[in-house]
PDB file of all heavy atoms in Angstrom:
ATOM      1  N   ARG A 266     151.101  52.743 135.531  1.00 84.00           N
ATOM      2  CA  ARG A 266     151.488  52.988 136.943  1.00 84.00           C
ATOM      3  C   ARG A 266     151.166  51.829 137.837  1.00 84.00           C
ATOM      4  O   ARG A 266     151.999  51.336 138.593  1.00 84.00           O
ATOM      5  CB  ARG A 266     150.791  54.280 137.430  1.00 84.00           C
ATOM      6  CG  ARG A 266     150.990  54.653 138.845  1.00 84.00           C
ATOM      7  CD  ARG A 266     150.021  55.670 139.330  1.00 84.00           C
ATOM      8  NE  ARG A 266     148.657  55.129 139.387  1.00 84.00           N
ATOM      9  CZ  ARG A 266     147.527  55.844 139.487  1.00 84.00           C
ATOM     10  NH1 ARG A 266     147.653  57.166 139.468  1.00 84.00           N
ATOM     11  NH2 ARG A 266     146.354  55.246 139.532  1.00 84.00           N
ATOM     12  N   ASP A 267     149.890  51.387 137.797  1.00 80.00           N
ATOM     13  CA  ASP A 267     149.457  50.349 138.746  1.00 80.00           C
ATOM     14  C   ASP A 267     149.950  48.955 138.426  1.00 80.00           C
ATOM     15  O   ASP A 267     150.150  48.121 139.336  1.00 80.00           O
ATOM     16  CB  ASP A 267     147.929  50.373 138.836  1.00 80.00           C
ATOM     17  CG  ASP A 267     147.403  51.699 139.499  1.00 80.00           C
ATOM     18  OD1 ASP A 267     148.286  52.434 140.042  1.00 80.00           O
ATOM     19  OD2 ASP A 267     146.243  51.939 139.448  1.00 80.00           O
ATOM     20  N   LEU A 268     150.106  48.649 137.167  1.00 81.00           N
ATOM     21  CA  LEU A 268     150.597  47.350 136.826  1.00 81.00           C
ATOM     22  C   LEU A 268     152.047  47.140 137.236  1.00 81.00           C
ATOM     23  O   LEU A 268     152.544  45.994 137.373  1.00 81.00           O
ATOM     24  CB  LEU A 268     150.444  47.064 135.312  1.00 81.00           C
ATOM     25  CG  LEU A 268     149.034  46.780 134.829  1.00 81.00           C
ATOM     26  CD1 LEU A 268     148.966  46.759 133.307  1.00 81.00           C
ATOM     27  CD2 LEU A 268     148.414  45.551 135.440  1.00 81.00           C
ATOM     28  N   ALA A 269     152.715  48.254 137.441  1.00 82.00           N
ATOM     29  CA  ALA A 269     154.194  48.148 137.859  1.00 82.00           C
ATOM     30  C   ALA A 269     154.291  47.947 139.379  1.00 82.00           C
ATOM     31  O   ALA A 269     155.388  47.747 139.835  1.00 82.00           O
ATOM     32  CB  ALA A 269     154.866  49.395 137.404  1.00 82.00           C
ATOM     33  N   LYS A 270     153.194  48.074 140.085  1.00 81.00           N
ATOM     34  CA  LYS A 270     153.271  47.925 141.561  1.00 81.00           C
ATOM     35  C   LYS A 270     153.574  46.450 141.921  1.00 81.00           C
ATOM     36  O   LYS A 270     153.153  45.513 141.250  1.00 81.00           O
ATOM     37  CB  LYS A 270     151.914  48.335 142.203  1.00 81.00           C
ATOM     38  CG  LYS A 270     151.663  49.826 142.065  1.00 81.00           C
ATOM     39  CD  LYS A 270     150.308  50.184 142.695  1.00 81.00           C
ATOM     40  CE  LYS A 270     150.032  51.704 142.566  1.00 81.00           C
ATOM     41  NZ  LYS A 270     148.755  52.059 143.218  1.00 81.00           N
ATOM     42  N   PRO A 271     154.333  46.275 143.047  1.00 80.00           N
ATOM     43  CA  PRO A 271     154.678  44.890 143.476  1.00 80.00           C
ATOM     44  C   PRO A 271     153.561  43.947 143.578  1.00 80.00           C
ATOM     45  O   PRO A 271     153.636  42.751 143.299  1.00 80.00           O
ATOM     46  CB  PRO A 271     155.397  45.177 144.827  1.00 80.00           C
ATOM     47  CG  PRO A 271     155.896  46.554 144.740  1.00 80.00           C
ATOM     48  CD  PRO A 271     154.923  47.278 143.908  1.00 80.00           C
ATOM     49  N   LYS A 272     152.367  44.467 144.095  1.00 79.00           N
ATOM     50  CA  LYS A 272     151.209  43.538 144.276  1.00 79.00           C
ATOM     51  C   LYS A 272     150.660  43.009 142.994  1.00 79.00           C
ATOM     52  O   LYS A 272     149.950  42.028 142.981  1.00 79.00           O
ATOM     53  CB  LYS A 272     150.117  44.287 145.069  1.00 79.00           C
ATOM     54  CG  LYS A 272     149.441  45.392 144.266  1.00 79.00           C
ATOM     55  CD  LYS A 272     148.339  46.058 145.088  1.00 79.00           C
ATOM     56  CE  LYS A 272     147.616  47.165 144.329  1.00 79.00           C
ATOM     57  NZ  LYS A 272     146.534  47.797 145.109  1.00 79.00           N
ATOM     58  N   ASN A 273     151.035  43.647 141.829  1.00 75.00           N
ATOM     59  CA  ASN A 273     150.588  43.164 140.511  1.00 75.00           C
ATOM     60  C   ASN A 273     151.729  42.510 139.762  1.00 75.00           C
ATOM     61  O   ASN A 273     151.762  42.487 138.557  1.00 75.00           O
ATOM     62  CB  ASN A 273     149.993  44.321 139.729  1.00 75.00           C
ATOM     63  CG  ASN A 273     148.718  44.842 140.308  1.00 75.00           C
ATOM     64  OD1 ASN A 273     147.881  44.094 140.763  1.00 75.00           O
ATOM     65  ND2 ASN A 273     148.530  46.162 140.271  1.00 75.00           N
ATOM     66  N   LYS A 274     152.743  41.993 140.501  1.00 77.00           N
ATOM     67  CA  LYS A 274     153.923  41.430 139.866  1.00 77.00           C
ATOM     68  C   LYS A 274     153.603  40.146 139.071  1.00 77.00           C
ATOM     69  O   LYS A 274     154.122  39.942 138.007  1.00 77.00           O
ATOM     70  CB  LYS A 274     154.985  41.126 140.924  1.00 77.00           C
ATOM     71  CG  LYS A 274     156.328  40.664 140.375  1.00 77.00           C
ATOM     72  CD  LYS A 274     157.359  40.528 141.422  1.00 77.00           C
ATOM     73  CE  LYS A 274     158.658  40.059 140.892  1.00 77.00           C
ATOM     74  NZ  LYS A 274     159.738  39.903 141.949  1.00 77.00           N
ATOM     75  N   LYS A 275     152.724  39.329 139.665  1.00 84.00           N
ATOM     76  CA  LYS A 275     152.365  38.025 139.047  1.00 84.00           C
ATOM     77  C   LYS A 275     151.484  38.312 137.800  1.00 84.00           C
ATOM     78  O   LYS A 275     150.673  39.231 137.804  1.00 84.00           O
ATOM     79  CB  LYS A 275     151.739  37.107 139.996  1.00 84.00           C
ATOM     80  CG  LYS A 275     152.647  36.611 141.121  1.00 84.00           C
ATOM     81  CD  LYS A 275     151.884  35.655 142.045  1.00 84.00           C
ATOM     82  CE  LYS A 275     152.785  35.163 143.134  1.00 84.00           C
ATOM     83  NZ  LYS A 275     152.090  34.211 144.074  1.00 84.00           N
ATOM     84  N   THR A 276     151.602  37.432 136.802  1.00 86.00           N
ATOM     85  CA  THR A 276     150.766  37.541 135.627  1.00 86.00           C
ATOM     86  C   THR A 276     149.284  37.486 135.909  1.00 86.00           C
ATOM     87  O   THR A 276     148.515  38.230 135.328  1.00 86.00           O
ATOM     88  CB  THR A 276     151.153  36.455 134.595  1.00 86.00           C
ATOM     89  OG1 THR A 276     152.534  36.540 134.293  1.00 86.00           O
ATOM     90  CG2 THR A 276     150.357  36.616 133.341  1.00 86.00           C
ATOM     91  N   SER A 277     148.947  36.593 136.812  1.00 86.00           N
ATOM     92  CA  SER A 277     147.506  36.446 137.113  1.00 86.00           C
ATOM     93  C   SER A 277     146.966  37.776 137.744  1.00 86.00           C
ATOM     94  O   SER A 277     145.822  38.182 137.513  1.00 86.00           O
ATOM     95  CB  SER A 277     147.260  35.288 138.121  1.00 86.00           C
ATOM     96  OG  SER A 277     148.101  35.462 139.270  1.00 86.00           O
ATOM     97  N   ALA A 278     147.835  38.403 138.628  1.00 82.00           N
ATOM     98  CA  ALA A 278     147.445  39.667 139.244  1.00 82.00           C
ATOM     99  C   ALA A 278     147.296  40.728 138.276  1.00 82.00           C
ATOM    100  O   ALA A 278     146.404  41.606 138.318  1.00 82.00           O
ATOM    101  CB  ALA A 278     148.419  40.005 140.341  1.00 82.00           C
ATOM    102  N   LYS A 279     148.263  40.737 137.273  1.00 83.00           N
ATOM    103  CA  LYS A 279     148.195  41.810 136.204  1.00 83.00           C
ATOM    104  C   LYS A 279     146.912  41.670 135.375  1.00 83.00           C
ATOM    105  O   LYS A 279     146.275  42.714 135.082  1.00 83.00           O
ATOM    106  CB  LYS A 279     149.412  41.654 135.273  1.00 83.00           C
ATOM    107  CG  LYS A 279     150.724  42.085 135.947  1.00 83.00           C
ATOM    108  CD  LYS A 279     151.870  41.981 134.902  1.00 83.00           C
ATOM    109  CE  LYS A 279     153.199  42.332 135.508  1.00 83.00           C
ATOM    110  NZ  LYS A 279     153.249  43.726 135.893  1.00 83.00           N
ATOM    111  N   ILE A 280     146.561  40.438 135.048  1.00 86.00           N
ATOM    112  CA  ILE A 280     145.348  40.245 134.214  1.00 86.00           C
ATOM    113  C   ILE A 280     144.118  40.680 135.010  1.00 86.00           C
ATOM    114  O   ILE A 280     143.199  41.323 134.477  1.00 86.00           O
ATOM    115  CB  ILE A 280     145.240  38.785 133.790  1.00 86.00           C
ATOM    116  CG1 ILE A 280     146.401  38.356 132.839  1.00 86.00           C
ATOM    117  CG2 ILE A 280     143.888  38.473 133.168  1.00 86.00           C
ATOM    118  CD1 ILE A 280     146.479  36.934 132.545  1.00 86.00           C
ATOM    119  N   LYS A 281     144.047  40.237 136.269  1.00 85.00           N
ATOM    120  CA  LYS A 281     142.931  40.574 137.163  1.00 85.00           C
ATOM    121  C   LYS A 281     142.779  42.116 137.272  1.00 85.00           C
ATOM    122  O   LYS A 281     141.658  42.649 137.115  1.00 85.00           O
ATOM    123  CB  LYS A 281     143.091  39.960 138.488  1.00 85.00           C
ATOM    124  CG  LYS A 281     141.938  40.197 139.437  1.00 85.00           C
ATOM    125  CD  LYS A 281     142.108  39.511 140.776  1.00 85.00           C
ATOM    126  CE  LYS A 281     140.978  39.777 141.757  1.00 85.00           C
ATOM    127  NZ  LYS A 281     141.192  39.102 143.039  1.00 85.00           N
ATOM    128  N   TYR A 282     143.907  42.812 137.511  1.00 78.00           N
ATOM    129  CA  TYR A 282     143.839  44.270 137.686  1.00 78.00           C
ATOM    130  C   TYR A 282     143.466  44.909 136.330  1.00 78.00           C
ATOM    131  O   TYR A 282     142.768  45.912 136.358  1.00 78.00           O
ATOM    132  CB  TYR A 282     145.173  44.819 138.172  1.00 78.00           C
ATOM    133  CG  TYR A 282     145.114  46.351 138.292  1.00 78.00           C
ATOM    134  CD1 TYR A 282     144.464  46.930 139.349  1.00 78.00           C
ATOM    135  CD2 TYR A 282     145.597  47.127 137.260  1.00 78.00           C
ATOM    136  CE1 TYR A 282     144.297  48.292 139.409  1.00 78.00           C
ATOM    137  CE2 TYR A 282     145.501  48.503 137.353  1.00 78.00           C
ATOM    138  CZ  TYR A 282     144.844  49.062 138.386  1.00 78.00           C
ATOM    139  OH  TYR A 282     144.674  50.469 138.453  1.00 78.00           O
ATOM    140  N   PHE A 283     143.997  44.412 135.232  1.00 83.00           N
ATOM    141  CA  PHE A 283     143.727  45.016 133.914  1.00 83.00           C
ATOM    142  C   PHE A 283     142.210  45.099 133.638  1.00 83.00           C
ATOM    143  O   PHE A 283     141.712  46.137 133.288  1.00 83.00           O
ATOM    144  CB  PHE A 283     144.437  44.200 132.791  1.00 83.00           C
ATOM    145  CG  PHE A 283     144.137  44.685 131.422  1.00 83.00           C
ATOM    146  CD1 PHE A 283     144.835  45.803 130.915  1.00 83.00           C
ATOM    147  CD2 PHE A 283     143.166  44.107 130.633  1.00 83.00           C
ATOM    148  CE1 PHE A 283     144.549  46.285 129.641  1.00 83.00           C
ATOM    149  CE2 PHE A 283     142.914  44.559 129.341  1.00 83.00           C
ATOM    150  CZ  PHE A 283     143.579  45.634 128.851  1.00 83.00           C
ATOM    151  N   PHE A 284     141.534  43.957 133.891  1.00 84.00           N
ATOM    152  CA  PHE A 284     140.058  44.011 133.640  1.00 84.00           C
ATOM    153  C   PHE A 284     139.331  44.819 134.690  1.00 84.00           C
ATOM    154  O   PHE A 284     138.314  45.442 134.408  1.00 84.00           O
ATOM    155  CB  PHE A 284     139.556  42.568 133.630  1.00 84.00           C
ATOM    156  CG  PHE A 284     139.920  41.830 132.334  1.00 84.00           C
ATOM    157  CD1 PHE A 284     140.932  40.898 132.318  1.00 84.00           C
ATOM    158  CD2 PHE A 284     139.260  42.161 131.147  1.00 84.00           C
ATOM    159  CE1 PHE A 284     141.251  40.263 131.147  1.00 84.00           C
ATOM    160  CE2 PHE A 284     139.602  41.512 129.975  1.00 84.00           C
ATOM    161  CZ  PHE A 284     140.597  40.565 129.964  1.00 84.00           C
ATOM    162  N   LYS A 285     139.851  44.848 135.919  1.00 82.00           N
ATOM    163  CA  LYS A 285     139.268  45.706 136.971  1.00 82.00           C
ATOM    164  C   LYS A 285     139.413  47.152 136.586  1.00 82.00           C
ATOM    165  O   LYS A 285     138.418  47.923 136.717  1.00 82.00           O
ATOM    166  CB  LYS A 285     139.949  45.465 138.298  1.00 82.00           C
ATOM    167  CG  LYS A 285     139.433  46.348 139.438  1.00 82.00           C
ATOM    168  CD  LYS A 285     140.263  46.110 140.719  1.00 82.00           C
ATOM    169  CE  LYS A 285     139.835  47.051 141.816  1.00 82.00           C
ATOM    170  NZ  LYS A 285     140.621  46.839 143.080  1.00 82.00           N
ATOM    171  N   ALA A 286     140.538  47.541 136.094  1.00 80.00           N
ATOM    172  CA  ALA A 286     140.756  48.953 135.725  1.00 80.00           C
ATOM    173  C   ALA A 286     139.898  49.305 134.478  1.00 80.00           C
ATOM    174  O   ALA A 286     139.367  50.465 134.415  1.00 80.00           O
ATOM    175  CB  ALA A 286     142.263  49.195 135.356  1.00 80.00           C
ATOM    176  N   LEU A 287     139.745  48.436 133.574  1.00 82.00           N
ATOM    177  CA  LEU A 287     138.836  48.696 132.424  1.00 82.00           C
ATOM    178  C   LEU A 287     137.441  48.901 132.891  1.00 82.00           C
ATOM    179  O   LEU A 287     136.729  49.794 132.362  1.00 82.00           O
ATOM    180  CB  LEU A 287     138.920  47.530 131.406  1.00 82.00           C
ATOM    181  CG  LEU A 287     140.198  47.413 130.539  1.00 82.00           C
ATOM    182  CD1 LEU A 287     140.028  46.267 129.561  1.00 82.00           C
ATOM    183  CD2 LEU A 287     140.454  48.695 129.785  1.00 82.00           C
ATOM    184  N   ASN A 288     136.969  48.108 133.808  1.00 83.00           N
ATOM    185  CA  ASN A 288     135.625  48.253 134.327  1.00 83.00           C
ATOM    186  C   ASN A 288     135.473  49.587 135.104  1.00 83.00           C
ATOM    187  O   ASN A 288     134.442  50.325 134.869  1.00 83.00           O
ATOM    188  CB  ASN A 288     135.298  47.065 135.284  1.00 83.00           C
ATOM    189  CG  ASN A 288     133.884  47.122 135.779  1.00 83.00           C
ATOM    190  OD1 ASN A 288     132.931  47.232 135.024  1.00 83.00           O
ATOM    191  ND2 ASN A 288     133.727  47.033 137.118  1.00 83.00           N
ATOM    192  N   GLN A 289     136.487  49.939 135.872  1.00 79.00           N
ATOM    193  CA  GLN A 289     136.427  51.153 136.605  1.00 79.00           C
ATOM    194  C   GLN A 289     136.573  52.417 135.738  1.00 79.00           C
ATOM    195  O   GLN A 289     136.155  53.511 136.139  1.00 79.00           O
ATOM    196  CB  GLN A 289     137.574  51.226 137.694  1.00 79.00           C
ATOM    197  CG  GLN A 289     137.304  50.185 138.783  1.00 79.00           C
ATOM    198  CD  GLN A 289     138.429  50.223 139.817  1.00 79.00           C
ATOM    199  OE1 GLN A 289     139.606  50.605 139.529  1.00 79.00           O
ATOM    200  NE2 GLN A 289     138.167  49.777 141.033  1.00 79.00           N
TER     201      GLN A 289
END
């Protein structure tokens, strides 16, 4: 759900969010 959001469109943003979500 969240990786599909516009703010996570860039690869760098996707990677950053992925590890954030894993931590959370």
Side-chain angles (χ1 to χ4, degrees):
R266 176 194 69 196
D267 291 349
L268 287 173
K270 292 180 179 179
K272 68 178 182 179
N273 292 322
K274 186 176 181 180
K275 294 182 178 180
T276 302
S277 59
K279 288 182 182 294
I280 294 173
K281 182 178 180 180
Y282 178 78
F283 177 80
F284 285 105
K285 177 183 177 181
L287 285 182
N288 183 53
Q289 291 178 336

